[in-house]
Amino acid sequence: MRLYTIILFSFLFVLPACKEKTYYYEVNEIEVEPNNSGKTKQKSVEQFINIAYANLNQQALSPDQLVDITNVITSIGDKQIAFETVIAKMITNPDISIPTESEMRTDIGLFVTETYKRFYVRLPTEAEKTFWINYIESHPTVTPEMVYFSFATSDEYYFY
Amino acid sequence: MKRRNFLKKAALTTAGSIAFPYILPSGRLFAGSGNPPMAEHVVFVLFAGGVRQQEAIEKRYLAESQNLDIEGNIMYNMLTGDEPELKIVYGTTTPGGQPGGQPISPILQTPLDQQGTLFKEVRFSSAGTGHFTGLSTGVSGYYGTTQGLQQRPLHPTIFEYARRYGGFDATDVWFIGNGIGNSTPLLNHSEHRDYGWEYGANFFAPNITFGMEGQEHLKGFKSFHPEEELEPIEQMRHFLNQNFLQNGGRIPHLNNTEDEKEDIKAFIKEVFARQEAGQLVFPPVTDNGDLSTMGYATEILRWFKPKLTVINMSAVDSCHSSYTNYLQSLHRADHGVGFLWNYIQTQIPEMANNTVMMVMPEHGRNLEPNGILDENDWVAYDHDSDANSRRIFTMMVGPGIDGGLELGSEANPVGDAADVVPTIAEVLGFKNEVLNSGLLHSEAKSLFDQI
């Protein structure tokens, strides 16, 4: 009887403390990205310009250029107009890093996911992804440049 | 039964329309509660960085500042009077190389004081005589004694009154700054909860927008095809913005419609194109920031024909360290005003004879110098809220305004810096709404009511 008690206690207290089991339920591992609900702070003009330039060109803006572009934006009262014109100028830069149209249309889902990650630092929801795939498929004249411009001048892009 | 309901509703509607006048989307009452407008356009020049009465209205040149018995009028587009005969330093460089020795030729054949009404002695009666406080008072009619320097005006500006009660569109209302320093870009609307950005004025600091920085980072921006590109872009952006609506965040804007936004972009392109073609029109002498601002201002007037335009000049503030440069800047500020008025009357038919122009310094300058000497060994002047720095003038000219009328004296001032806002409101036809807002300086009243 004493022997059984010892064995029982060994199972109950000793063995579970020694080894932790990992259970797998056949769910893929995913990297969790923030959604847009946490974006409540406005970027400063400097932050906006720095990030937009980096997103479009995949390289950093020089400090002198940052000051100049910030001044230009400050000199225009309506910031929507200021951002749209400055971004519209940035996309005329020949060094801009934008996927080609064939790259976009070869795998629209991937293009949409990468665009959300690049501009919004998050993954698209399924509803968003569905919208974009349908929209791009049904609008053959839409280019990656137009999509990028839409993202870079949208409200969510101004917040973090 | 239906007929009875119809009669009942019709009676209620009739009674309602009498008791509660229809409110336009702009917030303006349909039933005219204001005065009839005197003119369709107002241009208000904030002149020009702190001006002493002695060198302006009193035409004393060096007599009241440098212990030199030399008097004369260096603002002869605005004021009647002979120019100084000695120690001419305020003009351009002479062919012989004398700096400032060549006065700038007058533009107006008849000085503005003869064309309009001059309030010779107006008071900046409250708060400190700082630039932002002065400018803020000029555009809001309220002395912001608790106003922060990097903060929008606490009380509504004339732009917001104009859009709310005048029913004006965003592109009808412009604030043109000579730069982006001194929080100038914050003056196009207040942070008052009942007014604010949705009634704000469009703003340019054109020396930057169209200057070196703008030429490098704005000129040549891509124009999207209206139907093939812009329309899908707006659809896509609308989807993105709708998904972000729950957060309530928007890029700051001024309620320009999509058409107005595109119009402003087209204007920017047009200015760069005219600049490249050498077609921009500037004052005959344009050798400082105030005068180039004035040139760009006429481009804005020509394109948009705004109902209300406020233009800020500031070069005379060099008086802190150089009295000579102060005189040069004052002379040029007068040149700019003369150019502006002449341009409106001769180059913009829609605004000619239909525009009231007002000119007022945001504050004055000290009676006593600060001890800094310039290249002529002349002393400089600050503005530290002494009695002299509270002395300013206000000039107005245009339809319905008496010509050659002068009011006020140093002993008997007439008018206050806060009076410009209700005066503009009277010209544009919404004085009562502005006065009834309860948001002006307690003593503020239209200058027309003080004549």
Side-chain angles (χ1 to χ4, degrees), chain B residues 111-164:
Chain B
L112 292 172
D113 62 353
Q114 293 179 36
Q115 297 186 44
T117 296
L118 176 61
F119 292 78
K120 293 173 68 177
E121 282 285 342
V122 172
R123 287 292 171 267
F124 188 90
S125 62
S126 183
T129 55
H131 295 295
F132 190 67
T133 308
L135 298 173
S136 173
T137 304
V139 298
S140 71
Y142 178 82
Y143 289 99
T145 50
T146 58
Q147 175 74 53
L149 285 180
Q150 294 189 341
Q151 182 184 22
R152 290 192 177 277
L154 299 173
H155 283 219
T157 61
I158 184 62
F159 310 117
E160 293 152 84
Y161 291 128
R163 287 190 64 188
R164 179 162 178 176

Side-chain angles (χ1 to χ4, degrees), chain B residues 29-309:
Chain B
L29 296 180
F30 175 74
S33 57
N35 53 290
M38 297 170 59
E40 284 188 31
H41 308 272
V42 169
V43 176
F44 173 31
V45 180
L46 284 157
F47 182 97
V51 177
R52 279 166 41 107
Q53 289 283 82
Q54 285 82 355
E55 289 77 44
I57 295 298
E58 295 179 0
K59 305 158 196 166
R60 302 280 283 159
Y61 195 44
L62 302 172
E64 294 286 337
S65 58
Q66 311 300 334
N67 284 325
L68 293 169
D69 189 21
I70 304 172
E71 301 186 358
N73 173 28
I74 63 171
M75 294 168 49
Y76 36 63
N77 286 291
M78 293 170 63
L79 304 172
T80 304
D82 294 333
E83 59 193 279
E85 293 180 350
L86 294 171
K87 292 195 180 291
I88 308 302
V89 299
Y90 51 84
T92 56
T93 302
T94 64
Q98 183 196 341
Q102 180 64 55
I104 302 171
S105 300
I107 292 175
L108 302 177
Q109 290 184 341
T110 306
L112 292 172
D113 62 353
Q114 293 179 36
Q115 297 186 44
T117 296
L118 176 61
F119 292 78
K120 293 173 68 177
E121 282 285 342
V122 172
R123 287 292 171 267
F124 188 90
S125 62
S126 183
T129 55
H131 295 295
F132 190 67
T133 308
L135 298 173
S136 173
T137 304
V139 298
S140 71
Y142 178 82
Y143 289 99
T145 50
T146 58
Q147 175 74 53
L149 285 180
Q150 294 189 341
Q151 182 184 22
R152 290 192 177 277
L154 299 173
H155 283 219
T157 61
I158 184 62
F159 310 117
E160 293 152 84
Y161 291 128
R163 287 190 64 188
R164 179 162 178 176
Y165 301 123
F168 299 151
D169 294 332
T171 47
D172 285 334
V173 182
W174 281 87
F175 177 48
I176 302 164
N178 63 330
I180 57 174
N182 288 327
S183 301
T184 304
L186 300 181
L187 290 165
N188 64 332
H189 67 78
S190 73
E191 56 184 39
H192 193 280
R193 66 172 187 269
D194 295 332
Y195 296 82
W197 59 265
E198 61 186 303
Y199 301 110
N202 273 294
F203 170 78
F204 274 137
N207 287 335
I208 293 170
T209 316
F210 304 110
M212 300 255 302
E213 294 109 316
Q215 286 169 32
E216 186 175 349
H217 298 290
L218 209 56
K219 184 178 178 182
F221 67 84
K222 183 178 172 67
S223 289
F224 292 101
H225 188 280
E227 288 87 30
E228 292 171 14
E229 294 179 309
L230 200 55
E231 206 173 292
I233 284 171
E234 283 172 3
Q235 289 170 355
M236 292 187 284
R237 191 163 50 205
H238 177 75
F239 171 78
L240 294 170
N241 289 346
Q242 283 297 114
N243 278 2
F244 195 62
L245 260 186
Q246 60 190 6
N247 287 21
R250 301 285 310 274
I251 294 174
H253 62 97
L254 300 167
N255 250 355
N256 284 293
T257 64
E258 289 300 324
D259 285 346
E260 286 181 308
K261 281 168 60 178
E262 294 310 310
D263 195 30
I264 292 170
K265 290 177 190 173
F267 169 75
I268 294 172
K269 278 200 170 290
E270 165 83 358
V271 172
F272 280 126
R274 282 167 58 80
Q275 188 181 58
E276 194 164 293
Q279 294 173 339
L280 292 180
V281 180
F282 290 103
V285 173
T286 298
D287 57 3
N288 73 6
D290 281 351
L291 292 172
S292 53
T293 298
M294 205 53 97
Y296 287 119
T298 57
E299 292 291 321
I300 291 171
L301 296 181
R302 196 174 58 82
W303 183 279
F304 295 101
K305 297 163 188 69
K307 303 293 185 188
L308 172 62
T309 310

Side-chain angles (χ1 to χ4, degrees), chain A residues 116-128:
Chain A
Y116 267 83
K117 285 166 73 175
R118 185 189 278 215
F119 286 95
Y120 286 176
V121 200
R122 69 176 176 88
L123 294 169
T125 63
E126 280 307 309
E128 287 170 330

Side-chain angles (χ1 to χ4, degrees), chain A residues 55-70:
Chain A
N55 286 161
L56 291 171
N57 295 283
Q58 301 291 287
Q59 57 181 310
L61 187 63
S62 76
D64 286 349
Q65 286 185 313
L66 174 63
V67 171
D68 284 354
I69 298 176
T70 301

Side-chain angles (χ1 to χ4, degrees), chain B residues 17-39:
Chain B
S17 65
I18 293 168
F20 307 104
Y22 176 66
I23 298 174
L24 293 170
S26 65
R28 189 182 194 196
L29 296 180
F30 175 74
S33 57
N35 53 290
M38 297 170 59

